[in-house]
Amino acid sequence: MAQVTLKGNPVEVNGELPQSGSTAPAFTLVGAGLAEKSLADFAGKRKVLNIFPSVDTPTCATSVRTFNAEANSLENTVVLCISADLPFAQARFCGAEGLENVQSLSTFRNRDFHAAYGVDIAGGAMAGLTARAVVVLGENDEVLHTELVSEIADEPNYQAALGALK
């Protein structure tokens, strides 16, 4: 179990981030139109998993906007923005913001993702949501980079995540 903070208050997180060099755990989440999307659906592409609690918070929204802006310059790469938000809320946010370079996926049907990726908030007011993390995968789902952001209210290290793809 890892521990992060939210505005300085301790938050326990279940699971462990996948280790660099390992193969990423398979997952099936929910995308646009309530369609199931699996890790296998992105086979052959490099993947940036931008994992966060809710797109309805300022830092989470900023991370989606930032990765969206960077996505155009990333060859053979898809940015997956993963949260417990319903796909309707994710689509509304991305539509209102004009964000077309990221794909939103929801964990609402598959909470196993939370523990498999080491982002399961274990208790407190945010139980059931994910901690903020970034996992970068190569074309064959090998883990290239991981970051569990130590303060949930902080943005991830974009340069480190994107640098893993260079």
Side-chain angles (χ1 to χ4, degrees):
M1 184 175 299
Q3 188 167 327
V4 298
T5 58
L6 176 60
K7 298 184 179 177
N9 297 310
V11 175
E12 290 185 3
V13 180
N14 286 329
E16 291 185 26
L17 283 174
Q19 297 295 310
S20 290
S22 69
T23 299
F27 62 77
T28 299
L29 300 173
V30 182
L34 299 177
E36 290 192 344
K37 297 292 271 184
S38 71
L39 181 60
D41 290 328
F42 304 101
K45 292 195 174 281
R46 300 180 311 169
K47 293 152 282 283
V48 176
L49 281 56
N50 177 29
I51 306 163
F52 51 87
S54 174
V55 75
D56 285 326
T57 63
T59 305
C60 299
T62 298
S63 73
V64 174
R65 288 184 198 108
T66 301
F67 278 120
N68 180 76
E70 295 292 335
N72 272 342
S73 65
L74 303 174
E75 187 175 317
N76 192 39
T77 302
V78 61
V79 177
L80 305 176
C81 293
I82 301 171
S83 70
D85 294 300
L86 292 176
F88 312 114
Q90 294 171 333
R92 183 177 57 248
F93 172 80
C94 288
E97 295 278 332
L99 306 179
E100 299 177 351
N101 300 323
V102 296
Q103 291 192 37
S104 296
L105 298 174
S106 175
T107 64
F108 89 97
R109 276 191 208 147
N110 189 344
R111 301 283 183 179
D112 293 344
F113 175 88
H114 295 210
Y117 277 79
V119 294
D120 183 43
I121 295 179
M126 293 184 62
L129 299 177
T130 60
R132 183 176 317 287
V134 177
V135 178
V136 179
L137 308 176
E139 290 92 347
N140 297 313
D141 300 332
E142 69 275 12
V143 178
L144 304 176
H145 168 81
T146 62
E147 177 191 11
L148 178 63
V149 180
S150 61
E151 168 57 54
I152 293 174
D154 290 345
E155 293 177 57
N157 184 337
Y158 302 110
Q159 290 179 341
L162 298 171
L165 296 170
K166 294 182 180 178

